[in-house]
Amino acid sequence: MGCFPAFVPDSHLPFHRPSDAVHSTSSANLALGSEMAETIIEDVGELETPLGRRGFLRWVSGACAAVIAALVGVPAVRALLAPATAKPLTDAWIKVADDTALLDIGTPVRLDFVQNQADAWIDGRAMNSVWLYTEDGDTFKAYNGHCTHLGCGYVYDKDRKTFICPCHRGQFDVKTGAVLAGPPPRPLDELPVQVRDAAVYVKYHDFRLGVPERVEA
Amino acid sequence: MRTLTAWIDQRVDLAGIRRTLLDRKMPGGLTWWHTLGSATLTVFMVQVTTGIVLAMYYAPSPDHARDSIRYLETTVASGALLRGIHHWGSSAMVVLVLAHMIRVFTMGAYKYPREINWLLGVGLLFIVLGFGFTGYLLPWDQKAYWATQVGTNIAGTTPFIGGALVKLLRGGSQLGAATLSRFFALHVLLLPVLLGLVVLLHLALVVRQGIAPRTAVLEAGAPERTSDPEYAGFYNGSYSRSKAGGVPFWPNIIAKDLIVAAVVVVTLFLLARFVGAGLEAPADPSDTSYVPRPEWYFLPFFQLLKLVPGSLEAAVAIGFPAAIVAALLVLPFVDRGSTRSLRRRPAAAGALVVVLGGASLLLGAAARDEPKGGGAAGLELGSAERSGRALFKRQQCGSCHLLAGETQEKKADAPDAPDLTEVGLKHSGAWIHSFLEDPARFHPDSKMPAFGPPTLSHQEIEELSRYLVTLRGPNGANRQPEFRDTFPEPVKPKE
């Protein structure tokens, strides 16, 4: 184990002594090896070390306790903290609309989609949504469907022509995603968009909510 | 820091706590055997620590239990190590509790005045066994499922209440989702609280009464029996004298305790790191060929049940554990002789030899009976392989071929045929497939019948070959196949 041997070489005392020199073992205890072990401890007691007998035993206790704590504590803490450093899921292009011709011009539209996503040990499917906006039918803007404040799903207000989050009345500009009013700390999270063969693809990603910078979730 | 300590000390008298807990005098000459209790306590704390983190990655549902453990082992940092420590820790708990109990028994430490603490200890033993039984099911693999099937069925043989008891244990009439949730709740909620409370009482009594000294201290001049009126006076005198010549708990005794505890934990760590915990194929209630096996510390009892005739099985299954519990509970009240050394207690020594010897013999017999990693040990069977295994049975391949782990008896008059236990290490699936179709093409004098169409379809032969290549013998998952396939010369068309 290593607690003892580190110390023994310093001592010039024999490791084994006749047991009667240490203490009388008249009783019939079945301590196999206890004599030797006690010899060790008592020998150390007579050592002329700066530590002294009590100091040595304290040191042994501390070292053994540290070994126990490290062997169990380190794996436990590593497993406990593992999710904090988990890599974010890789993004993939997701088809959100089949034909650009079917999309309204000048009015944003919400598109829901289902994505295969491993949820820890469950092969799950995640449902997410994006808001898609176009002014000419060729170039598109896509916003992550979550409000950047606390993640509620926001809606389009036809009268005011803005996005409104029902939770805390945050408002966003439809064309840029900029915050117009309310508590959201940053503009809507704009996502990369691609049009291929008239179908619209979005690279969906969630970002950390409630903070002014756009950082990985 | 110092002012903070002083502030607390003023209010809760830390010095007083220190005097009671750390500076208390212990009788001199305590042996290394006296460290077993604290080693058990250490492993219990290890189990709590590792168990809390394991529970974060565990789903107590038949759909996900095994997947969640696979996820822990393959994806989470240190996950496999942590589970390994917990797995081996459970065995360590049982070993240490039993060793501690044997120490107390051989030194007669259950006698006056420690009868209550003996009873608490017996309670702790059974709580620990309860932990083992409930924890064994949680991985929801084949081993877990079938061992619990047998375990709960044993409870079902109890007279009068058996039917109700087995349903109560399973949370329904079938072993299934309700059982798993129930065992999980017992394992992580009820049993830890129960064990914690009883351990606290157990330790409080150790502090209050002091640890039992070496036997000689309490024997010289002792009255005949501990029930004699003057025994208490004698005991108090001898015990105080032994403490007067003793050593303080801290650091003298604690150092010894921690050395042993550290050795135990290092051993657990090495076992976890290099052996691991293992995870079998998912529980398959339809697989009747699986040979159920309980955790090793239940094996002597399991083996005993195999030895008794069927008519007595119910009586032994319930009566034997009940007798052990009863014997342990009445021990301190029946045995009131003041002699403590095992040498002068022939009856106790004899009982110990019989119990330990009997358990060892049964454990040895169980180890000998163990299926030698036959079947597809360690490899998971897909549906094709499973149909292949069914075909193997239906075609009675086992009546000529030996296959360790399969139960079929070899017929006495059957021709000698190669042992198939490790066939997957010797031949490829393609070779086995063409051999099964027409063995005579490979060995003209082979006694093996041809299984090609119409006996079996090509599909069936393929399933059978796929099953056969999974046969790799004990520890097969870790062995690399070395194929010795030789194909016969293609038959030349006649000119």
Side-chain angles (χ1 to χ4, degrees):
Chain A
M1 216 287 315
C3 295
F4 268 133
F7 254 73
V8 172
D10 297 339
S11 82
H12 302 291
L13 289 170
F15 213 65
H16 299 281
R17 283 198 298 183
S19 61
D20 57 350
V22 179
H23 57 73
S24 62
T25 50
S26 58
S27 89
N29 73 60
L30 41 57
L32 206 92
S34 83
E35 286 174 23
M36 192 192 97
E38 291 192 10
T39 309
I40 297 168
I41 287 191
E42 305 218 352
D43 276 352
V44 168
E46 293 151 25
L47 272 179
E48 297 288 322
T49 60
L51 272 171
R53 175 188 168 85
R54 275 179 74 88
F56 172 73
L57 292 176
R58 279 165 204 251
W59 182 87
V60 167
S61 303
C64 290
V67 166
I68 295 171
L71 288 186
V72 179
V74 170
V77 169
R78 275 192 70 194
L80 187 72
L81 300 183
T85 54
K87 291 189 190 75
L89 297 167
T90 48
D91 302 320
W93 288 101
I94 293 154
K95 185 153 89 172
V96 293
D98 290 326
D99 193 345
T100 51
L102 298 175
L103 295 170
D104 290 341
I105 288 178
T107 308
V109 55
R110 197 181 89 169
L111 299 166
D112 298 333
F113 59 91
V114 171
Q115 203 181 354
N116 283 331
Q117 204 173 61
D119 175 7
W121 49 84
I122 299 174
D123 288 329
R125 302 205 295 168
M127 187 147 130
N128 283 307
S129 57
V130 294
W131 280 90
L132 212 56
Y133 177 73
T134 181
E135 289 185 324
D136 51 16
D138 292 326
T139 55
F140 292 84
K141 285 210 163 215
Y143 304 110
N144 185 311
H146 297 290
C147 171
T148 53
H149 178 218
L150 293 172
C152 295
Y154 53 89
V155 294
Y156 178 62
D157 184 327
K158 279 181 197 144
D159 301 331
R160 286 187 235 185
K161 299 203 184 310
T162 57
F163 290 123
I164 292 193
C165 180
C167 292
H168 303 96
R169 322 268 345 134
Q171 288 186 38
F172 301 94
D173 185 66
V174 170
K175 291 176 189 171
T176 61
V179 182
L180 299 176
R186 66 165 188 262
L188 288 174
D189 294 322
E190 203 179 322
L191 303 169
V193 192
Q194 248 186 19
V195 181
R196 286 196 303 247
D197 301 332
V200 184
Y201 293 81
V202 168
K203 206 170 210 176
Y204 186 81
H205 195 88
D206 282 320
F207 297 92
R208 181 128 59 98
L209 297 166
V211 293
E213 321 80 41
R214 202 167 103 153
V215 287
E216 296 287 331
Chain B
M1 188 65 207
R2 185 152 293 176
T3 44
L4 180 66
T5 319
W7 188 87
I8 298 173
D9 188 29
Q10 226 166 31
R11 282 153 184 84
V12 296
D13 186 21
L14 287 176
I17 294 176
R18 191 195 156 93
R19 271 195 305 278
T20 338
L21 291 183
L22 297 182
D23 295 340
R24 65 197 161 100
K25 277 286 194 95
M26 308 285 278
L30 292 182
T31 67
W32 286 88
W33 298 101
H34 282 88
T35 62
L36 290 166
S38 69
T40 317
L41 182 64
T42 307
V43 177
F44 175 54
M45 293 191 289
V46 169
Q47 294 299 84
V48 170
T49 310
T50 52
I52 288 172
V53 182
L54 290 182
M56 291 183 187
Y57 293 100
Y58 177 72
S61 131
D63 281 352
H64 300 305
R66 189 176 166 286
D67 288 343
S68 66
I69 289 176
R70 257 196 104 86
Y71 175 83
L72 170 79
E73 295 229 331
T74 54
T75 314
V76 178
S78 298
L81 185 61
L82 213 55
R83 178 165 173 255
I85 295 175
H86 198 77
H87 171 85
W88 288 103
S90 76
S91 286
M93 282 295 282
V94 175
V95 170
L96 289 170
V97 166
L98 286 175
H100 178 50
M101 201 164 195
I102 291 169
R103 194 280 288 173
V104 169
F105 181 81
T106 51
M107 294 189 183
Y110 56 87
K111 299 186 179 198
Y112 179 91
R114 295 185 181 77
E115 298 94 331
I116 301 171
N117 231 8
W118 170 263
L119 295 184
L120 290 173
V122 172
L124 288 173
L125 170 69
F126 286 96
I127 296 173
V128 166
L129 292 177
F131 265 113
F133 184 63
T134 51
Y136 204 60
L137 178 67
L138 302 185
W140 201 255
D141 58 359
Q142 286 279 70
K143 195 170 77 160
Y145 179 87
W146 289 103
T148 308
Q149 190 72 260
V150 174
T152 48
N153 280 331
I154 288 176
T157 60
T158 317
F160 309 118
I161 57 162
L165 191 61
V166 69
K167 276 187 268 185
L168 186 69
L169 273 174
R170 290 178 178 172
S173 52
Q174 294 293 315
L175 181 55
T179 324
L180 188 54
S181 285
R182 175 163 292 242
F183 275 38
F184 180 66
L186 292 173
H187 192 82
V188 308
L189 296 171
L190 180 67
L191 291 176
V193 171
L194 206 58
L195 189 75
L197 286 177
V198 183
V199 163
L200 273 183
L201 281 175
H202 198 69
L203 291 179
L205 274 181
V206 172
V207 174
R208 183 103 183 105
Q209 301 182 314
I211 198 163
R214 292 154 69 150
T215 54
V217 174
L218 296 174
E219 284 186 333
E224 187 84 359
R225 306 183 64 73
T226 56
S227 48
D228 290 342
E230 64 274 24
Y231 189 82
F234 158 80
Y235 175 86
N236 290 339
S238 314
Y239 194 64
S240 330
R241 272 197 301 283
S242 83
K243 267 169 84 162
V247 291
F249 183 53
W250 166 252
N252 300 49
I253 304 298
I254 288 185
K256 243 167 144 177
D257 282 346
L258 279 169
I259 289 168
V260 174
V263 169
V264 170
V265 171
V266 168
T267 311
L268 288 183
F269 184 87
L270 294 177
L271 284 168
R273 173 76 183 70
F274 295 107
V275 186
L279 189 60
E280 291 193 355
D284 178 1
S286 68
D287 180 3
T288 50
S289 68
Y290 191 84
V291 185
R293 291 179 64 70
E295 186 60 299
W296 66 267
Y297 38 82
F298 291 120
L299 269 179
F301 178 56
F302 188 72
Q303 190 70 16
L304 181 72
L305 290 181
K306 280 195 198 169
L307 296 179
V308 298
S311 56
L312 281 176
E313 190 172 318
V316 175
I318 298 304
F320 189 75
I324 289 185
V325 176
L328 291 174
L329 291 182
V330 302
L331 175 69
F333 306 103
V334 173
D335 178 13
R336 297 206 185 164
S338 64
T339 324
R340 298 198 182 229
S341 166
L342 194 64
R343 283 190 200 165
R344 288 182 290 281
R345 292 192 293 143
L352 189 65
V353 167
V354 167
V355 169
L356 289 185
S360 314
L361 283 178
L362 287 169
L363 192 61
R368 206 192 48 213
D369 284 3
E370 178 156 13
K372 291 283 180 296
L379 299 174
E380 286 183 31
L381 294 190
S383 61
E385 289 86 353
R386 279 209 292 269
S387 336
R389 185 173 59 192
L391 273 168
F392 188 90
K393 293 222 163 70
R394 234 179 307 143
Q395 294 294 329
Q396 306 201 317
C397 305
S399 59
C400 298
H401 291 282
L402 196 67
L403 177 50
E406 293 291 336
T407 43
Q408 211 161 0
E409 288 290 312
K410 188 175 181 299
K411 282 183 192 157
D413 58 340
D416 280 336
D419 184 341
L420 294 182
T421 308
E422 296 184 356
V423 70
L425 295 171
K426 296 172 191 154
H427 293 295
S428 68
W431 186 92
I432 295 175
H433 186 114
S434 48
F435 183 83
L436 290 173
E437 278 182 347
D438 187 6
R441 211 156 67 81
F442 290 76
H443 302 292
D445 48 354
S446 172
K447 295 201 180 76
M448 175 151 159
F451 284 91
T455 315
L456 292 178
S457 69
H458 282 294
Q459 167 81 24
E460 288 173 318
I461 291 186
E462 182 56 27
E463 288 168 354
L464 194 49
S465 339
R466 284 214 202 170
Y467 166 62
L468 290 171
V469 295
T470 65
L471 301 176
R472 291 181 172 190
N475 202 16
N478 301 330
R479 296 169 65 184
Q480 283 302 315
E482 286 176 40
F483 295 139
R484 277 167 265 162
D485 298 343
T486 46
F487 288 89
E489 292 290 312
V491 183
K492 283 187 185 127
K494 281 181 185 156
E495 309 253 337

